[in-house]
């Protein structure tokens, strides 16, 4: 088990179970060095998005790493004001140009924009059939969004990336996705470090001689959840993923499950301001 350990998606594509998120990593030097250091540490999964405005730095760091492109799993996403069939195809082309790549490994609909996300996903299906994305999926979709999408989709999403951490465990989303062979991926997987002092995390950190962040990432890993903790600091990047030399017991996992308060950091998809 290591940072190259993968999960198989429903189209046969393999995705590294743990990766690096670059949300709010500043364009230019910061994101460039963050991705470069992560790759040096053994990360092989990088998650960016059009919204983050840092695809150029991500692409340049990958290009300069000396690691073969096919050995790195790259995700990007189409933002809300780029959605719609033709608009999404144009947005994807811009993302490829910024990344300096011929393809991405995973392309996601970033949020379910009402009245647009099914047309947006049709563009993703075309991109997928053209081989420009090895896999396609969605982000921030509730079960009712997925039900609407699956009525028209010809390609089942491989992933649904949602806010997920011990205080927001998303069981209903996870159950729906499991039923339809859609992997769940966690954004804000560490809860933005807002409750590392929680007694359960503190107890388990002492028990396993680990940090609260490592307990959380290990819990997600053992639960089959893809996770992309974010850090621009090399030492913290290493720390976040130092999870392969211990295992949580069933009792440990039950304690973490007791932390679920359905408390979000971001917006609920049904309350998000889409500006439409």
């Amino acid at each position: 088990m290591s940072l190259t350990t993968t999960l198989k998606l429903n189209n046969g594509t393999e995705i590294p179970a743990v990766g690096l998120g670059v949300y709010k990593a500043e364009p230019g030097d910061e994101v460039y060095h963050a991705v470069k250091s992560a790759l040096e540490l053994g990360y092989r999964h990088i998650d960016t998005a059009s919204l983050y405005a840092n695809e150029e730095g991500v692409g340049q760091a990958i290009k300069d790493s000396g690691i073969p492109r096919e050995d790195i799993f790259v995700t990007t996403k189409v933002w809300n004001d780029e959605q719609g069939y033709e608009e999404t195809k144009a947005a994807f082309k811009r993302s490829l140009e910024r990344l300096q790549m011929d393809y991405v490994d995973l392309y996601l609909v970033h949020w379910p924009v009402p009245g647009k996300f099914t047309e947006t996903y049709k563009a993703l299906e075309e991109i997928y059939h053209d081989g420009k994305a090895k896999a396609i999926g969605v982000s921030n979709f509730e079960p009712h969004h997925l039900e609407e999408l699956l009525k028209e989709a010809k390609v089942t999403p491989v992933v649904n990336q949602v806010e997920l951490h011990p205080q927001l465990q998303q069981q209903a989303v996870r159950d729906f996705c499991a039923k339809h062979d859609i992997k769940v991926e966690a954004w804000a997987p560490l809860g933005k470090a807002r409750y590392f002092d929680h007694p359960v995390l503190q107890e388990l950190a002492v028990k396993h001689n680990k940090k609260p962040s490592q307990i959380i990432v290990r819990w997600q890993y053992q639960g089959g959840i893809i996770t992309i903790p974010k850090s621009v600091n090399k030492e913290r990047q290493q720390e976040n993923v130092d999870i392969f030399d211990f295992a949580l017991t069933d009792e440990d996992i039950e304690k973490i499950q007791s932390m679920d308060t359905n408390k979000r950091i971001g917006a609920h998809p049904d309350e998000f301001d889409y500006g439409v």
Side-chain angles (χ1 to χ4, degrees):
M1 294 185 297
S2 72
L3 282 166
T4 58
T5 301
T6 61
L7 294 171
K8 186 171 279 190
L9 302 175
N10 64 35
N11 71 342
T13 299
E14 303 268 351
I15 184 171
V18 180
L20 178 77
V22 297
Y23 177 53
K24 288 196 173 174
E26 289 293 327
D29 285 350
E30 185 173 76
V31 74
Y32 176 85
H33 290 298
V35 173
K36 209 148 186 296
S37 63
L39 293 173
E40 287 166 2
L41 291 169
Y43 284 77
R44 292 296 179 266
H45 173 183
I46 309 295
D47 179 281
T48 185
S50 172
L51 171 71
Y52 306 168
N54 58 20
E55 289 169 311
E56 293 96 334
V58 169
Q60 195 61 49
I62 289 169
K63 197 172 181 182
D64 292 349
S65 70
I67 299 164
R69 168 68 187 90
E70 61 270 19
D71 292 347
I72 302 172
F73 193 100
V74 179
T75 301
T76 194
K77 314 174 192 79
V78 56
W79 185 239
N80 301 339
D81 63 6
E82 302 172 312
Q83 289 198 35
Y85 181 74
E86 292 297 340
E87 296 91 333
T88 296
K89 289 199 292 181
F92 178 71
K93 188 178 178 187
R94 292 193 296 271
S95 282
L96 279 190
E97 287 169 355
R98 290 190 291 260
L99 288 162
Q100 302 180 70
M101 293 175 184
D102 297 324
Y103 70 94
V104 295
D105 297 275
L106 179 60
Y107 196 43
L108 302 180
V109 181
H110 208 149
W111 287 84
V113 176
K116 283 195 173 180
F117 68 79
T118 53
E119 286 302 305
T120 298
Y121 195 77
K122 283 178 184 173
L124 265 65
E125 290 179 321
E126 184 174 317
I127 288 163
Y128 173 65
H129 287 307
D130 287 346
K132 297 292 187 180
K134 302 293 184 187
I136 55 173
V138 297
S139 184
N140 300 300
F141 275 49
E142 290 289 297
H144 72 89
H145 296 122
L146 288 166
E147 282 178 340
E148 184 179 339
L149 184 70
L150 290 171
K151 285 176 186 170
E152 295 194 34
K154 295 179 172 60
V155 178
T156 301
V158 297
V159 157
N160 184 17
Q161 186 183 114
V162 295
E163 180 183 345
L164 193 154
H165 42 80
Q167 290 194 335
L168 183 71
Q169 297 187 22
Q170 296 274 30
Q171 201 56 56
V173 171
R174 288 160 65 185
D175 290 347
F176 184 94
C177 288
K179 183 179 173 183
H180 293 274
D181 197 17
I182 299 167
K183 285 279 186 285
V184 173
E185 183 170 10
W187 65 258
L190 302 179
K192 296 197 175 177
R194 291 185 185 182
Y195 50 89
F196 281 2
D197 59 351
H198 191 287
V200 167
L201 294 178
Q202 289 292 319
E203 177 194 337
L204 296 178
V206 170
K207 175 182 176 181
H208 293 285
N209 193 27
K210 289 289 179 180
K211 296 187 180 294
S213 58
Q214 296 162 337
I215 298 297
I216 293 172
V217 175
R218 180 71 202 190
W219 164 70
Q220 291 162 341
Y221 175 79
Q222 282 186 220
I225 295 163
I226 304 158
T227 182
I228 45 171
K230 177 230 163 178
S231 179
V232 297
N233 176 280
K234 189 170 186 176
E235 289 70 30
R236 190 65 52 78
Q237 289 175 348
Q238 176 71 68
E239 182 182 286
N240 284 343
V241 297
D242 185 15
I243 62 156
F244 300 105
D245 58 352
F246 78 107
L248 297 169
T249 65
D250 289 345
E251 184 185 4
D252 294 339
I253 290 167
E254 283 177 18
K255 287 179 178 177
I256 294 172
Q257 286 170 339
S258 76
M259 292 174 62
D260 192 4
T261 58
N262 202 35
K263 187 176 180 183
R264 291 178 182 269
I265 290 167
H268 189 289
D270 289 334
E271 297 163 5
F272 191 88
D273 181 7
Y274 293 98
V276 295

